[in-house]
Amino acid sequence: MLQILSVILVLLVTAGLLYWINSDTFQNKHKKYILIFLWVFVAIYSYKTINSVYEVIQFDDLKEVRYQKVIKNLIDIRNSELAHRSVKGQFQNNWDSLVKFIELDSFTLTQRRDSSILDKEMTKRYGGVKTYKDIVIVDTLGFVSVKDSLFGVDNRYTKMMYVPGAKDADTKFELRSGYIEQNGLDIPVFESKVIKSVILYDQNKDLIFKENLVQSVDGVNGSALKVGSMDEVNTNGNWPKNYTKNQ
């Protein structure tokens, strides 16, 4: 917005100068050359400005396409990590182990139902009067493959660790896991991320620098796309909803 306003301001000032110089009130033997110089300046400045604005538009369009592809993988990574915690009680920080878990492990299907049983202690305390207490019974109904539950017949989980569109096809997302203490408890956490410059490796460095400074409700804040956190209990991604509207 500021760039557009500055362009308008410069063009208005230049147009004013051209009008003044071209009027009868301006008398100078070099008037012709000054006019030529100003027209050349306007032409060059306009070209560079339009080209700069167009480059920003192209950058934003390409960035959105690449971010969406990266986010799709990060969502698969998050779902896989949540499944691992559900079954194993902790997150995984090794890609091979995570893939092996998806292929070999299963979710346990259970059913919870309320029931009541004789409370022997209370019955004895009340002189033999039968007293019951409520309990919850968990029945195991069966098992379902993690792979079938999360991915069905799709094997994309075998490549979810690779950053889509990176310069090097073997570039992987960073993956960490561990624990943080909260209210006296060790809570499992994980984080997977890739820095923006890896995704936008072939773009204008100045535009990447500005993108790293983004702080907006409609943008990806910070210098990386990530899911999870090693600093707080959070399994969300740092992208806004508009990047996943079609997923």
Side-chain angles (χ1 to χ4, degrees):
M1 185 63 180
L2 289 175
Q3 187 177 23
I4 295 175
L5 291 175
S6 65
V7 170
I8 294 174
L9 180 62
V10 170
L11 291 178
L12 286 175
V13 171
T14 305
L17 287 172
L18 285 169
Y19 178 79
W20 175 60
I21 293 171
N22 205 36
S23 67
D24 294 334
T25 59
F26 184 83
Q27 299 296 327
N28 190 301
K29 63 180 181 178
H30 300 299
K31 178 178 180 179
K32 177 181 178 181
Y33 301 106
I34 295 175
L35 283 172
I36 293 173
F37 171 78
L38 285 176
W39 279 117
V40 170
F41 169 78
V42 169
I44 295 175
Y45 184 79
S46 298
Y47 170 78
K48 287 185 173 294
T49 301
I50 293 172
N51 188 61
S52 176
V53 172
Y54 181 64
E55 185 180 14
V56 172
I57 294 173
Q58 282 188 313
F59 175 83
D60 287 340
D61 289 343
L62 180 141
K63 174 190 70 177
E64 183 168 342
V65 171
R66 292 188 182 179
Y67 279 10
Q68 287 180 340
K69 292 179 180 178
V70 168
I71 289 168
K72 185 176 180 180
N73 279 34
L74 287 173
I75 291 174
D76 282 341
I77 292 169
R78 174 177 62 193
N79 292 340
S80 300
E81 285 285 5
L82 290 175
H84 192 279
R85 183 189 63 179
S86 176
V87 175
K88 302 291 187 179
Q90 61 186 12
F91 292 114
Q92 179 60 254
N93 61 7
N94 179 273
W95 289 118
D96 292 336
S97 298
L98 187 59
V99 169
K100 184 177 180 180
F101 160 77
I102 294 170
E103 293 178 335
L104 301 180
D105 270 276
S106 301
F107 291 114
T108 302
L109 301 179
T110 60
Q111 175 181 277
R112 298 168 65 90
R113 55 188 176 88
D114 296 328
S115 184
S116 61
I117 60 173
L118 182 67
D119 190 330
K120 295 181 179 180
E121 183 178 341
M122 295 302 294
T123 298
K124 182 178 180 180
R125 182 178 299 179
Y126 290 121
V129 178
K130 291 183 178 180
T131 306
Y132 294 86
K133 61 181 178 180
D134 295 330
I135 62 170
V136 175
I137 298 176
V138 180
D139 296 320
T140 299
L141 303 179
F143 302 90
V144 60
S145 164
V146 172
K147 176 182 178 299
D148 291 342
S149 179
L150 297 183
F151 301 100
V153 297
D154 194 335
N155 289 328
R156 68 180 185 275
Y157 67 91
T158 60
K159 297 181 179 180
M160 66 183 177
M161 68 286 297
Y162 296 108
V163 179
K167 185 177 182 179
D168 184 350
D170 292 328
T171 301
K172 293 182 179 181
F173 291 95
E174 180 183 337
L175 182 65
R176 295 190 295 160
S177 68
Y179 295 86
I180 61 174
E181 185 178 343
Q182 190 173 87
N183 299 324
L185 299 174
D186 288 332
I187 309 296
V189 293
F190 87 98
E191 180 179 281
S192 184
K193 69 179 181 179
V194 58
I195 59 175
K196 291 178 178 178
S197 59
V198 170
I199 305 169
L200 305 169
Y201 68 93
D202 55 352
Q203 297 301 295
N204 185 297
K205 301 302 180 185
D206 291 334
L207 294 179
I208 295 176
F209 177 77
K210 291 180 181 179
E211 174 63 20
N212 287 335
L213 301 178
V214 166
Q215 292 294 325
S216 168
V217 293
D218 296 323
V220 178
N221 297 335
S223 62
L225 266 76
K226 69 173 186 174
V227 64
S229 173
M230 294 300 295
D231 301 315
E232 60 180 336
V233 181
N234 179 15
T235 58
N236 294 324
N238 69 331
W239 54 85
K241 291 182 178 179
N242 55 292
Y243 276 101
T244 54
K245 56 187 177 183
N246 296 323
Q247 298 186 29

